[in-house]
Amino acid sequence: MPAQYSAPLHLDYVQYTVHSDRQMVETTIRVLEPDDLDAIEQPRVLYLLPSSPELSHRSGDGLDEVLAHDLHNQHGLVTVAPTFSDWPWMTDLPDQKMFQQVLYFLEDVVGFIDRQYPGLPRLLAGYSKGGSATLQLLLRHPELFRAAAAFDSPIMKEQPDQWEMPYYWPNPEHFRDFAIPHLLRTQGQALGPAPRIALFGYGNFGKHAPEWTYDHLSAAHELLDDLGIPHLYDNDTSRKHRWDSGWLPDAISALDRMSR
Protein backbone atom coordinates (compact mmCIF):
# COMPACT_ATOMS: atom_id res chain seq x y z
CA MET A 1 0.00 0.00 0.00
CA PRO A 2 1.37 3.49 -0.81
CA ALA A 3 2.28 5.68 2.13
CA GLN A 4 -0.47 7.96 3.40
CA TYR A 5 0.16 11.57 4.45
CA SER A 6 -2.02 13.58 6.81
CA ALA A 7 -2.81 17.28 6.51
CA PRO A 8 0.22 19.32 7.58
CA LEU A 9 0.61 21.35 10.71
CA HIS A 10 1.75 24.93 10.08
CA LEU A 11 4.53 26.13 12.41
CA ASP A 12 7.86 27.68 11.41
CA TYR A 13 7.94 24.66 9.13
CA VAL A 14 5.33 22.31 7.69
CA GLN A 15 5.01 18.93 9.40
CA TYR A 16 3.42 15.92 7.73
CA THR A 17 2.44 12.69 9.46
CA VAL A 18 3.27 9.60 7.39
CA HIS A 19 1.67 6.16 7.60
CA SER A 20 3.94 3.78 5.70
CA ASP A 21 3.91 -0.01 5.50
CA ARG A 22 7.71 0.18 5.59
CA GLN A 23 7.84 1.56 9.16
CA MET A 24 6.50 0.07 12.40
CA VAL A 25 4.77 3.25 13.61
CA GLU A 26 3.78 6.54 12.03
CA THR A 27 6.59 8.90 11.16
CA THR A 28 6.91 12.58 10.29
CA ILE A 29 8.40 14.71 7.54
CA ARG A 30 9.17 18.31 8.48
CA VAL A 31 9.77 20.80 5.67
CA LEU A 32 11.31 24.27 6.03
CA GLU A 33 11.15 26.49 2.94
CA PRO A 34 13.17 29.62 2.27
CA ASP A 35 11.15 32.78 2.86
CA ASP A 36 10.89 33.49 -0.88
CA LEU A 37 11.44 30.24 -2.71
CA ASP A 38 10.34 31.63 -6.08
CA ALA A 39 13.07 34.27 -5.97
CA ILE A 40 15.92 31.76 -5.53
CA GLU A 41 17.95 31.18 -8.68
CA GLN A 42 19.26 27.69 -7.81
CA PRO A 43 17.08 26.14 -5.10
CA ARG A 44 17.99 22.69 -3.80
CA VAL A 45 16.54 20.21 -1.32
CA LEU A 46 18.58 19.35 1.77
CA TYR A 47 17.74 16.16 3.68
CA LEU A 48 18.83 16.09 7.33
CA LEU A 49 19.23 12.43 8.31
CA PRO A 50 18.62 11.69 12.00
CA SER A 51 20.77 9.75 14.45
CA SER A 52 17.91 8.55 16.68
CA PRO A 53 14.39 7.18 16.21
CA GLU A 54 11.18 9.15 15.97
CA LEU A 55 11.13 12.90 16.66
CA SER A 56 13.80 13.28 19.33
CA HIS A 57 15.59 16.36 20.62
CA ARG A 58 18.00 14.46 22.89
CA SER A 59 20.98 15.66 20.84
CA GLY A 60 19.57 18.91 19.56
CA ASP A 61 17.59 19.19 16.35
CA GLY A 62 18.95 19.72 12.85
CA LEU A 63 15.97 21.65 11.56
CA ASP A 64 16.06 23.97 14.58
CA GLU A 65 19.76 24.63 13.82
CA VAL A 66 19.00 25.48 10.19
CA LEU A 67 16.26 27.84 11.34
CA ALA A 68 18.39 29.42 14.07
CA HIS A 69 21.26 30.19 11.66
CA ASP A 70 18.94 31.10 8.75
CA LEU A 71 20.75 28.53 6.61
CA HIS A 72 17.72 27.77 4.44
CA ASN A 73 17.62 31.41 3.30
CA GLN A 74 21.40 31.87 3.05
CA HIS A 75 21.84 28.88 0.77
CA GLY A 76 18.45 28.58 -0.94
CA LEU A 77 17.49 25.24 0.58
CA VAL A 78 14.18 23.50 1.04
CA THR A 79 15.23 21.65 4.19
CA VAL A 80 13.62 18.30 4.98
CA ALA A 81 13.89 16.40 8.28
CA PRO A 82 12.32 12.92 8.17
CA THR A 83 11.95 10.58 11.13
CA PHE A 84 12.26 6.80 11.32
CA SER A 85 10.40 4.43 13.62
CA ASP A 86 13.62 2.75 14.78
CA TRP A 87 17.35 3.49 14.95
CA PRO A 88 18.06 4.88 11.47
CA TRP A 89 21.00 2.81 10.29
CA MET A 90 19.52 2.97 6.78
CA THR A 91 19.17 -0.71 6.11
CA ASP A 92 16.46 -2.99 4.75
CA LEU A 93 15.78 -6.26 6.59
CA PRO A 94 14.71 -8.68 3.84
CA ASP A 95 12.37 -10.69 6.06
CA GLN A 96 10.66 -7.77 7.85
CA LYS A 97 8.18 -5.83 5.73
CA MET A 98 7.86 -2.99 8.24
CA PHE A 99 11.61 -2.50 8.57
CA GLN A 100 12.58 -1.17 5.16
CA GLN A 101 14.49 2.01 5.95
CA VAL A 102 16.11 2.58 2.56
CA LEU A 103 12.91 1.99 0.61
CA TYR A 104 10.97 4.14 3.07
CA PHE A 105 13.42 7.01 2.66
CA LEU A 106 13.73 6.79 -1.12
CA GLU A 107 10.08 6.16 -1.94
CA ASP A 108 8.01 7.56 0.92
CA VAL A 109 10.18 10.54 1.83
CA VAL A 110 12.18 11.53 -1.26
CA GLY A 111 9.35 10.50 -3.56
CA PHE A 112 6.89 12.65 -1.62
CA ILE A 113 9.19 15.68 -1.58
CA ASP A 114 9.90 15.26 -5.31
CA ARG A 115 6.20 15.60 -5.98
CA GLN A 116 6.10 18.83 -3.97
CA TYR A 117 9.33 20.28 -5.42
CA PRO A 118 9.96 18.59 -8.77
CA GLY A 119 13.34 18.82 -10.38
CA LEU A 120 15.37 20.20 -7.46
CA PRO A 121 18.86 18.76 -6.79
CA ARG A 122 19.06 16.73 -3.57
CA LEU A 123 21.69 17.09 -0.83
CA LEU A 124 22.31 15.01 2.31
CA ALA A 125 23.66 15.94 5.75
CA GLY A 126 23.86 14.06 9.04
CA TYR A 127 26.01 13.05 11.97
CA SER A 128 26.69 9.78 13.78
CA LYS A 129 24.69 7.01 12.07
CA GLY A 130 22.89 9.70 10.07
CA GLY A 131 26.23 10.80 8.64
CA SER A 132 27.04 7.23 7.67
CA ALA A 133 23.64 7.04 5.98
CA THR A 134 24.40 10.12 3.88
CA LEU A 135 27.55 8.55 2.40
CA GLN A 136 25.88 5.20 1.90
CA LEU A 137 22.99 6.77 -0.01
CA LEU A 138 25.26 8.95 -2.15
CA LEU A 139 27.48 6.01 -3.08
CA ARG A 140 24.62 3.63 -3.78
CA HIS A 141 22.51 6.22 -5.61
CA PRO A 142 24.85 8.84 -7.12
CA GLU A 143 22.24 9.65 -9.75
CA LEU A 144 19.73 10.70 -7.08
CA PHE A 145 21.87 12.82 -4.75
CA ARG A 146 24.26 15.62 -5.64
CA ALA A 147 26.44 15.67 -2.50
CA ALA A 148 26.68 14.45 1.11
CA ALA A 149 28.19 15.88 4.29
CA ALA A 150 28.90 13.73 7.37
CA PHE A 151 29.99 14.88 10.81
CA ASP A 152 31.57 12.61 13.44
CA SER A 153 30.27 9.35 12.00
CA PRO A 154 31.39 5.68 12.20
CA ILE A 155 31.90 5.59 8.45
CA MET A 156 34.70 3.02 8.34
CA LYS A 157 32.83 0.08 9.84
CA GLU A 158 33.70 -3.11 7.95
CA GLN A 159 31.56 -5.40 10.12
CA PRO A 160 28.18 -4.86 11.87
CA ASP A 161 29.56 -5.66 15.31
CA GLN A 162 28.83 -2.61 17.52
CA TRP A 163 25.85 -0.78 18.99
CA GLU A 164 22.54 -1.90 17.42
CA MET A 165 24.23 -3.07 14.22
CA PRO A 166 24.03 -6.87 14.82
CA TYR A 167 20.24 -6.58 14.98
CA TYR A 168 20.02 -4.55 11.78
CA TRP A 169 22.42 -6.80 9.88
CA PRO A 170 21.95 -10.29 11.39
CA ASN A 171 23.73 -11.67 8.33
CA PRO A 172 27.18 -10.00 8.15
CA GLU A 173 27.34 -10.77 4.43
CA HIS A 174 24.32 -8.52 3.93
CA PHE A 175 26.27 -5.64 5.50
CA ARG A 176 28.81 -5.69 2.66
CA ASP A 177 26.28 -3.92 0.43
CA PHE A 178 26.01 -1.09 3.01
CA ALA A 179 29.62 -0.84 4.26
CA ILE A 180 31.06 2.53 3.22
CA PRO A 181 34.70 1.34 2.74
CA HIS A 182 33.44 -1.33 0.33
CA LEU A 183 31.19 1.17 -1.44
CA LEU A 184 34.04 3.65 -1.79
CA ARG A 185 36.25 1.00 -3.36
CA THR A 186 33.59 -0.27 -5.75
CA GLN A 187 31.39 2.77 -6.43
CA GLY A 188 33.52 5.79 -5.55
CA GLN A 189 34.75 6.51 -9.07
CA ALA A 190 31.12 6.94 -10.20
CA LEU A 191 31.04 10.21 -8.25
CA GLY A 192 33.13 11.86 -10.95
CA PRO A 193 35.99 14.38 -10.85
CA ALA A 194 34.41 17.08 -8.65
CA PRO A 195 34.05 16.78 -4.84
CA ARG A 196 30.71 15.39 -3.71
CA ILE A 197 31.68 14.24 -0.19
CA ALA A 198 32.49 16.44 2.83
CA LEU A 199 33.76 14.99 6.12
CA PHE A 200 33.82 16.90 9.40
CA GLY A 201 35.06 16.04 12.91
CA TYR A 202 35.79 15.61 15.60
CA GLY A 203 33.97 14.19 18.60
CA ASN A 204 33.39 10.49 19.07
CA PHE A 205 34.75 9.35 15.70
CA GLY A 206 37.47 11.84 14.78
CA LYS A 207 40.77 12.89 16.34
CA HIS A 208 41.18 11.87 19.99
CA ALA A 209 38.37 9.31 19.65
CA PRO A 210 37.54 7.43 22.88
CA GLU A 211 38.82 3.89 23.52
CA TRP A 212 35.61 2.18 22.35
CA THR A 213 36.06 3.44 18.80
CA TYR A 214 38.77 5.08 16.67
CA ASP A 215 39.39 7.96 14.26
CA HIS A 216 37.01 7.02 11.44
CA LEU A 217 37.35 10.46 9.83
CA SER A 218 41.12 10.29 9.29
CA ALA A 219 40.87 6.70 8.04
CA ALA A 220 38.15 7.65 5.56
CA HIS A 221 40.14 10.67 4.38
CA GLU A 222 43.18 8.46 3.75
CA LEU A 223 41.09 5.91 1.85
CA LEU A 224 39.49 8.61 -0.28
CA ASP A 225 42.94 10.01 -1.09
CA ASP A 226 44.28 6.54 -1.93
CA LEU A 227 41.32 5.96 -4.26
CA GLY A 228 41.67 9.39 -5.85
CA ILE A 229 38.15 10.47 -4.84
CA PRO A 230 37.93 14.26 -4.44
CA HIS A 231 36.40 15.42 -1.16
CA LEU A 232 36.38 18.16 1.45
CA TYR A 233 37.80 17.37 4.88
CA ASP A 234 38.14 19.08 8.27
CA ASN A 235 39.04 16.97 11.29
CA ASP A 236 40.74 19.69 13.33
CA THR A 237 37.87 21.20 15.31
CA SER A 238 36.66 19.54 18.51
CA ARG A 239 32.86 19.60 18.75
CA LYS A 240 30.32 17.70 20.78
CA HIS A 241 28.49 14.79 19.21
CA ARG A 242 25.26 16.75 18.67
CA TRP A 243 23.33 18.65 16.03
CA ASP A 244 23.88 21.95 17.85
CA SER A 245 27.65 21.84 18.45
CA GLY A 246 28.46 24.22 15.61
CA TRP A 247 29.33 21.91 12.71
CA LEU A 248 26.14 22.26 10.64
CA PRO A 249 26.75 25.75 9.15
CA ASP A 250 30.16 24.64 7.82
CA ALA A 251 28.70 21.42 6.46
CA ILE A 252 25.90 23.22 4.64
CA SER A 253 28.35 25.75 3.21
CA ALA A 254 30.38 22.82 1.86
CA LEU A 255 27.27 21.27 0.34
CA ASP A 256 26.42 24.61 -1.24
CA ARG A 257 29.86 24.80 -2.89
CA MET A 258 29.78 21.19 -4.08
CA SER A 259 26.31 21.45 -5.62
CA ARG A 260 26.65 24.59 -7.74
Side-chain angles (χ1 to χ4, degrees):
M1 174 186 293
Q4 298 177 353
Y5 306 86
S6 72
L9 300 172
H10 293 274
L11 306 166
D12 290 322
Y13 45 77
V14 178
Q15 179 170 311
Y16 299 89
T17 301
V18 184
H19 299 271
S20 171
D21 288 345
R22 300 182 177 97
Q23 295 286 279
M24 290 180 284
V25 299
E26 71 179 29
T27 55
T28 63
I29 301 173
R30 295 178 295 157
V31 181
L32 175 64
E33 285 190 0
D35 293 342
D36 190 356
L37 180 58
D38 293 336
I40 296 172
E41 185 175 346
Q42 291 181 301
R44 288 145 294 169
V45 175
L46 169 64
Y47 290 94
L48 301 175
L49 297 186
S51 63
S52 56
E54 302 177 341
L55 186 53
S56 170
H57 291 76
R58 71 187 71 182
S59 298
D61 181 80
L63 201 63
D64 286 349
E65 283 297 290
V66 169
L67 188 61
H69 295 278
D70 200 40
L71 300 173
H72 55 310
N73 287 315
Q74 290 180 31
H75 300 285
L77 300 171
V78 176
T79 307
V80 180
T83 66
F84 292 73
S85 63
D86 214 318
W87 293 98
W89 279 103
M90 202 61 73
T91 184
D92 290 339
L93 291 180
D95 59 344
Q96 295 193 35
K97 178 182 177 183
M98 297 182 71
F99 201 100
Q100 303 290 312
Q101 293 182 336
V102 178
L103 283 175
Y104 159 74
F105 179 69
L106 294 179
E107 299 189 15
D108 298 335
V109 178
V110 175
F112 174 71
I113 296 299
D114 279 354
R115 293 191 291 274
Q116 312 301 313
Y117 306 95
L120 297 191
R122 310 174 193 92
L123 309 174
L124 300 160
Y127 85 99
S128 196
K129 61 181 67 65
S132 297
T134 70
L135 298 191
Q136 181 214 119
L137 287 164
L138 176 67
L139 289 162
R140 295 181 72 194
H141 303 281
E143 75 288 355
L144 293 180
F145 302 102
R146 182 72 61 84
F151 164 70
D152 202 35
S153 302
I155 52 180
M156 290 298 287
K157 289 296 298 180
E158 301 269 14
Q159 294 294 328
D161 56 5
Q162 286 182 290
W163 311 298
E164 311 90 3
M165 296 177 79
Y167 172 74
Y168 293 97
W169 288 282
N171 180 355
E173 289 298 316
H174 183 52
F175 182 67
R176 182 176 175 84
D177 295 333
F178 299 84
I180 291 166
H182 173 71
L183 292 171
L184 287 171
R185 296 181 185 107
T186 58
Q187 308 292 338
Q189 297 303 321
L191 298 180
R196 295 172 65 181
I197 290 173
L199 303 179
F200 295 88
Y202 60 91
N204 289 350
F205 300 104
K207 288 184 178 179
H208 311 299
E211 292 182 358
W212 49 266
T213 183
Y214 69 99
D215 185 355
H216 284 254
L217 273 296
S218 292
H221 170 60
E222 292 173 7
L223 178 59
L224 285 159
D225 275 352
D226 289 345
L227 295 171
I229 300 173
H231 60 287
L232 306 180
Y233 173 70
D234 180 0
N235 194 14
D236 291 326
T237 304
S238 176
R239 295 187 172 107
K240 292 183 179 179
H241 190 70
R242 298 175 54 88
W243 279 111
D244 54 7
S245 61
W247 64 271
L248 192 56
D250 290 344
I252 291 180
S253 292
L255 289 169
D256 191 351
R257 297 195 301 274
M258 292 190 294
S259 61
R260 289 192 180 275

